[in-house]
Amino acid sequence: MRYLLRKFGFYLVALWAALTVNFFVPRLMPGDPVLILLAKLGQRGPVTPEMRASVEALLGAESGEPLWHQYLDYLGNLAHGDLGVSVTFFPAPVSSIIGQTLPWTIGLIGLATIISFLAGVGLGTVAGWKRGSWLDNLIPVTTMFQSVPYFWLALILLFAFGSVWPLFPLNGGYDVYNVTPGWNGPFIGSVLYYGALPAITIVLSSVGGWMLGMRNMMVSTLSEDYMVTAEAKGLRPGRMMRRYAARNAILPSVSGFAISLGFVVSGSIVTEAVFSYPGIGSALLQAVSGNDYALMQGIFLVITLSVLAANLLVDLLYSIIDPRTRSRA
Amino acid sequence: MTMTTERSGTTSRQNPKSTIKVRRLARNKKLLAGLIIGGAIVLFGVFGPLLTQDPALVNDIGLTPPSADHWLGTTQTGQDVLAQLAYGTRGSLAVGAIVGVLTLILSTFFGVVGAYAGGWFDEMFSLFTNVMLVIPGLPLVIVISSYVPDKNIWLVSIVLAITSWAGSARVLRGYTLSLRDRDYVLAARVAGEKRRRILAVEILPNLIPLLASQVVFAVIFAILGEAGLSYLGLGASGSFTWGTMLYYAQNGLALRLGAWWWFVPPGLMLALFGAALSLINFSIDEIINPKLRNQTRAARKGWRMSREQLSKAKEATL
């Protein structure tokens, strides 16, 4: 129980830190962000008083309100789920844009990451168990894929399977012309078809890391005394591999899974840009190119929240599979 | 290889330990390959720009495939891709170097000093590190860099370093905690050595391999991060890196027009350099953790075991 409380406490602090960073970054930047932003917006079209009010509420107006007061207002607005109004998609509120784009990203990134983790850990277990086998020798190749940047691999795959051999569509999240969004067969099929290439990219470039980590932990675990005991008892090799070696070797991978989520999200933002996938990464880039600070901050918050939530989940899972963490705390 | 093994027969009596080390390093093909590839790319980045033409020079031969005049072809405005690649290599390596140094400083400070000091000091440092670790880096970098209109390479590097040091600090902290309670450190304390001296002389040298591998990671991360940022059009303005090359290639529709000579080289350089650094890191890992080293097939072959012994050893590890 103390372990859980500690964890919750930590994530509360992390959440508060993220909110605070989000609040202070625009205010610490040189120059008056409100004037800069209004000037930029003025080039694109007339600035309505509502837009001006939205920008001022977001970035801190010259009204002479003390900073701590602005900060409290900001926290209060967030508590009500009020993230402000988007300028790019004026007058849509930021929360509705996030609501539209987030499921795409979670579907694509979430599934691809889980597939990659399971495949990597499985292959790593076997590679560590049968050291020196062809699978073990494959590991340098997969880590080579890992050092290739996500977006470049995506570009190459897109060039090969989109332009040269047109097997997959070039961009988008589903066939916009022929299917209607909803819970129907053609739409789901189309989503899977359009998501295949981005998902393959993410799996290819991240599977190597899991495989290597798992393989190295397996190797370390295999030389433990309890493995010798298990062998002396005459246990079947399959049982030794799964219940004795893999179960202990997977622990660092599980905690690594939490940490890597941040990197996965980062890589996927760029991947979404390559495939023009209608996810939250594309929305973030649109916000950046349109100087839409409300949308940008909202998306940053949502990404951070998702990563924190996933981390918390992994931590809880970790305390289930490794009883030692509970007793130690 | 043969040279070192022959010579080892004569010198081993005088200095057996160092000879074994040299032999092991030479036999370590991963390290050798990593050093050669990485070194070649660094040399290209340092000396390439001196030998090539102006990378921004516009010509009327747009989008030509590789030829004798332009070894890697031209962009759609007739700029020489090879020249751009040389300057881009220099830019990307500069980012990697700056971030590497900054990460070294930050992660050593927060990881090693905190863990050594202990108490609430350590608690605060550790909390700060963990918070930085869970806040996703690239979105933060995108948000920060979109507020700053004119960025130079230094600013981009500093932002990348600020968002990426936490992982290393955590690794270093764990290892420092285990070093702090070793007997020889306690002995040094009993002998009345100053705390600062214990940290600098007793603990830091043992951390050097780990520090090296963390810095290598940081360099890979920084170069990839900068490439991603530049590819999105948010990198340093007016500079050449591998990422900006890919950005211009994407905007110039190189992909649709099939101009592979434009977008393949920068990505290939990224991949090769990343792979070279990973290879170096693997061999550092094997030096730190002997369990990873002594039972690989290549190592067993190196012990000149017979075929039967090899298969026996294989059985033993199954």
Side-chain angles (χ1 to χ4, degrees), chain A residues 83-137:
Chain A
L83 294 171
V85 176
S86 163
V87 179
T88 319
F89 305 94
F90 196 76
V94 168
S95 45
S96 81
I97 294 163
I98 291 174
Q100 282 164 22
T101 51
L102 192 61
W104 289 98
T105 300
I106 290 184
L108 174 68
I109 312 299
L111 272 182
T113 309
I114 291 171
I115 292 173
S116 161
F117 179 74
L118 292 180
V121 165
L123 290 173
T125 307
V126 179
W129 186 249
K130 299 191 170 173
R131 235 176 317 162
S133 63
W134 63 270
L135 194 63
D136 200 13
N137 292 327

Side-chain angles (χ1 to χ4, degrees), chain A residues 1 3-4 7 247 251 254 312-327 329:
Chain A
M1 205 53 219
Y3 170 75
L4 290 184
K7 281 289 162 199
R247 191 171 167 187
L251 294 173
V254 171
L312 181 61
L313 258 180
V314 170
D315 270 339
L316 297 182
L317 192 72
Y318 195 86
S319 72
I320 293 173
I321 54 175
D322 186 3
R324 283 172 299 184
T325 43
R326 271 171 289 164
S327 60

Side-chain angles (χ1 to χ4, degrees), chain A residues 4-302:
Chain A
L4 290 184
L5 281 180
R6 234 186 118 93
K7 281 289 162 199
F8 279 119
F10 167 70
Y11 284 107
L12 273 181
V13 172
L15 177 63
W16 169 78
L19 294 177
T20 308
V21 165
N22 206 14
F23 175 81
F24 280 106
V25 162
R27 287 168 178 80
L28 288 178
M29 291 298 151
D32 182 3
V34 178
L35 292 183
I36 295 171
L37 179 54
L38 287 177
K40 279 180 182 167
L41 286 176
Q43 292 166 358
R44 303 197 315 142
V47 180
T48 61
E50 287 100 338
M51 282 165 87
R52 193 185 171 102
S54 158
V55 168
E56 283 178 349
L58 183 73
L59 298 174
E62 291 287 276
S63 55
E65 229 179 309
L67 205 58
W68 62 268
H69 201 265
Q70 291 178 28
Y71 183 60
L72 290 183
D73 279 351
Y74 159 83
L75 289 182
N77 281 342
L78 280 182
H80 293 109
D82 180 8
L83 294 171
V85 176
S86 163
V87 179
T88 319
F89 305 94
F90 196 76
V94 168
S95 45
S96 81
I97 294 163
I98 291 174
Q100 282 164 22
T101 51
L102 192 61
W104 289 98
T105 300
I106 290 184
L108 174 68
I109 312 299
L111 272 182
T113 309
I114 291 171
I115 292 173
S116 161
F117 179 74
L118 292 180
V121 165
L123 290 173
T125 307
V126 179
W129 186 249
K130 299 191 170 173
R131 235 176 317 162
S133 63
W134 63 270
L135 194 63
D136 200 13
N137 292 327
L138 203 69
I139 284 185
V141 181
T142 55
T143 41
M144 167 94 190
F145 269 115
Q146 208 193 5
S147 46
V148 174
Y150 273 41
F151 63 92
W152 189 67
L153 186 66
L155 279 177
I156 295 292
L157 288 179
L158 202 57
F159 180 61
F161 298 111
S163 297
V164 183
W165 305 287
L167 285 175
F168 291 101
L170 275 173
N171 55 38
Y174 63 98
D175 192 344
V176 205
Y177 302 108
N178 296 322
V179 298
T180 45
W183 284 110
N184 52 42
F187 176 67
I188 294 171
S190 169
V191 167
L192 288 178
Y193 176 55
Y194 274 72
L197 204 55
I200 291 173
T201 312
I202 297 173
V203 170
L204 267 185
S205 46
S206 59
V207 75
W210 300 123
M211 208 170 145
L212 180 76
M214 187 63 190
R215 182 254 177 202
N216 283 355
M217 273 317 288
M218 277 297 277
V219 169
S220 300
T221 313
L222 286 181
S223 58
E224 296 283 348
D225 287 341
Y226 57 76
M227 290 308 295
V228 181
T229 315
E231 200 176 0
K233 281 199 294 187
L235 294 184
R236 272 177 290 113
R239 188 181 162 80
M240 275 168 60
M241 179 174 92
R242 284 189 296 271
R243 300 297 298 271
Y244 282 67
R247 191 171 167 187
N248 283 297
I250 203 174
L251 294 173
S253 291
V254 171
S255 58
F257 185 76
I259 293 169
S260 79
L261 277 171
F263 293 98
V264 172
V265 169
S266 307
S268 66
I269 290 175
V270 195
T271 310
E272 279 181 15
V274 175
F275 290 102
S276 315
Y277 204 75
I280 206 159
S282 301
L284 177 60
L285 295 178
Q286 274 180 347
V288 167
S289 59
N291 290 309
D292 189 346
Y293 290 101
L295 186 55
M296 217 156 69
Q297 292 201 328
I299 289 175
F300 172 68
L301 266 191
V302 168

Side-chain angles (χ1 to χ4, degrees), chain B residues 170-192:
Chain B
R170 189 155 132 155
V171 173
L172 288 174
R173 175 173 180 269
Y175 198 69
T176 311
L177 281 181
S178 84
L179 278 182
R180 195 182 62 172
D181 297 330
R182 299 259 168 102
D183 287 343
Y184 76 95
V185 177
L186 292 178
R189 203 175 286 170
V190 170

Side-chain angles (χ1 to χ4, degrees), chain B residues 154-170:
Chain B
W154 281 92
L155 189 80
V156 172
S157 310
I158 290 171
V159 172
L160 281 171
I162 288 175
T163 52
S164 69
W165 57 269
S168 309
R170 189 155 132 155

